[in-house]
Amino acid sequence: MRVGVDQRPEQSWFIDDDGDSLTYTVTSSNSDVVDVMIGHESYTDISGQLLTDTRILVTAKTLGTSVITLTADDGKGGIKSVTFDVQTV
């Protein structure tokens, strides 16, 4: 499994070379600063096709810094993570 960074995990944060479906989890190292969860947003594109984007939803709770970890699991032993810092001001 390769790791890249983009806005939509299902399109390029993680790419499974075997084409396996991926399950995502997201955690915050400091839940006193921010809460995080995987969210889904559905919309209709210009051709009328219903699409769904997967996003990381971050809710600030107080000032500070937290490390966010996004993990993809293909259910067959392929697990990869990417981390980034979030600072609330």
Side-chain angles (χ1 to χ4, degrees), residues 4-20:
V5 177
D6 199 347
Q7 290 184 354
R8 294 181 293 253
E10 75 279 5
Q11 294 199 359
S12 65
W13 273 346
F14 299 94
I15 300 163
D16 188 90
D17 293 331
D18 301 324
D20 297 327

Side-chain angles (χ1 to χ4, degrees), residues 7-11 38-44 50-57:
Q7 290 184 354
R8 294 181 293 253
E10 75 279 5
Q11 294 199 359
I38 299 291
H40 305 281
E41 179 182 359
S42 296
Y43 61 96
T44 303
L50 182 64
L51 302 173
T52 301
D53 282 344
T54 302
R55 301 174 185 263
I56 296 173
L57 305 175

Side-chain angles (χ1 to χ4, degrees), residues 35-84:
D35 280 333
V36 293
M37 64 182 284
I38 299 291
H40 305 281
E41 179 182 359
S42 296
Y43 61 96
T44 303
D45 71 6
I46 196 165
S47 67
Q49 182 178 3
L50 182 64
L51 302 173
T52 301
D53 282 344
T54 302
R55 301 174 185 263
I56 296 173
L57 305 175
V58 180
T59 303
K61 296 168 76 176
T62 189
L63 301 178
T65 301
S66 182
V67 177
I68 306 302
T69 302
L70 175 66
T71 302
D73 184 340
D74 70 0
K76 299 178 181 175
I79 300 172
K80 293 286 183 178
S81 296
V82 63
T83 61
F84 56 92

